[in-house]
Amino acid sequence: PQLVEAVSLGSIIPGDTLAAVTRTADFVTLSAAATAVFQGAAAAMRLVATVGGASPNQRIVALSGNSPFLVTDAGDGTGLRFSASTGSSLVLSTTGVPGLCHLAVGWGATGRIGAHAGAGAVTNATGVDRSLSTILLGSASGLLSGQILRVRRLVGWALAERPSAAGIQFQSRVET
């Protein structure tokens, strides 16, 4: 058998040869009902995940077409930002990767909002590209070499308007 080199326990790959190991991209195709949530005029998402490794512009969650949604910063890759449009990103945190991330983001007619680990919410008036319907864990080509992404919770809500600052801060709280 072969073992996958990683910082945590992995899976045994059956076989007697030492050939390179590859796998297809991990992605989740939303059901019609879930697609409607994320294509709605206003919605929110909560993600609790362990992100291993820090790489600039690393997609944690992307949308179909490889559009970045939740991504590490462009500098050293340790910060987190909410992109989801052609406008400027919301910087949710300047630290957090690698590690356990507690992210909550939302959007509506008044723009975008997001928070990380219970910190104060950040907002802007830029909208979200709601035409995208597939959530990708990592990028369209899968996770980066050596990247570990352990999703503990991914939840979405359809709303009448983007969440309040207090609501998004609460949803990004650190769970014990």
Side-chain angles (χ1 to χ4, degrees), residues 87-102:
S88 61
S89 296
L90 287 179
V91 176
L92 304 178
S93 172
T94 56
T95 61
V97 177
L100 182 58
C101 301
H102 299 264

Side-chain angles (χ1 to χ4, degrees), residues 59-74:
R59 284 163 172 72
I60 298 167
V61 176
L63 302 177
S64 58
N66 209 25
S67 175
F69 195 73
L70 297 172
V71 63
T72 61
D73 65 31

Side-chain angles (χ1 to χ4, degrees), residues 26-142:
D26 292 328
F27 65 93
V28 177
T29 302
L30 298 178
S31 67
T35 297
V37 169
F38 290 105
Q39 290 177 332
M45 172 189 281
R46 178 170 191 215
L47 174 71
V48 178
T50 300
V51 180
S55 179
N57 296 311
Q58 171 181 312
R59 284 163 172 72
I60 298 167
V61 176
L63 302 177
S64 58
N66 209 25
S67 175
F69 195 73
L70 297 172
V71 63
T72 61
D73 65 31
D76 63 5
T78 60
L80 298 159
R81 57 192 168 99
F82 173 32
S83 186
S85 75
T86 57
S88 61
S89 296
L90 287 179
V91 176
L92 304 178
S93 172
T94 56
T95 61
V97 177
L100 182 58
C101 301
H102 299 264
L103 301 165
V105 297
W107 57 91
T110 56
R112 292 179 288 160
I113 188 167
H116 173 252
V122 291
T123 66
N124 69 16
T126 305
V128 170
D129 182 353
R130 298 186 330 261
S131 66
L132 306 170
S133 60
T134 304
I135 291 182
L136 305 166
L137 301 178
S139 70
S141 58

